[in-house]
């Protein structure tokens, strides 16, 4: 979880070990991508995603967006 490991150096170590990331915001997604974590190893979960975050996740071609509500499903 990027929330628990938000330091960029730690995220780069996670990437070096070919691991993925679980993000709950657009900022966390941006940080994981900046650290070099492959988009296909990133899962976006958590409620309250805004349109811009969903669009960014889709454009980044991440592995999975976990929809928490019906409105998120419609948005996706």
């Amino acid at each position: 979880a990027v929330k628990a490991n938000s330091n960029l150096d730690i995220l780069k170590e996670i990437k070096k070990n070919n691991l993925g990331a679980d993000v709950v915001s657009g900022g966390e997604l941006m940080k994981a991508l900046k650290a070099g974590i492959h988009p296909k190893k990133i899962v976006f979960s958590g409620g309250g995603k805004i349109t811009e975050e969903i669009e960014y996740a889709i454009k980044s071609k991440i592995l999975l967006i976990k929809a928490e509500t019906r409105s998120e499903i419609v948005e996706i």
Side-chain angles (χ1 to χ4, degrees):
V2 173
K3 177 176 261 180
N5 299 290
S6 61
N7 181 289
L8 196 56
D9 290 330
I10 291 173
L11 292 173
K12 287 179 181 178
E13 286 298 316
I14 289 170
K15 186 256 184 208
K16 283 181 190 176
N17 286 286
N18 203 28
L19 300 171
D22 180 60
V23 302
V24 296
S25 71
E28 288 183 7
L29 173 56
M30 191 179 305
K31 192 174 264 193
L33 292 169
K34 184 177 180 178
I37 296 173
H38 194 281
K40 293 297 180 194
K41 291 188 174 235
I42 299 175
V43 173
F44 193 166
S45 38
K49 299 172 200 74
I50 62 172
T51 300
E52 292 81 8
E53 292 174 323
I54 292 171
E55 288 174 352
Y56 181 53
I58 291 170
K59 287 178 185 174
S60 298
K61 299 183 179 181
I62 67 169
L63 175 65
L64 175 74
I65 301 171
K66 183 180 175 193
E68 304 288 335
T69 64
R70 181 182 200 96
S71 62
E72 282 186 1
I73 293 169
V74 171
E75 187 74 33
I76 294 165

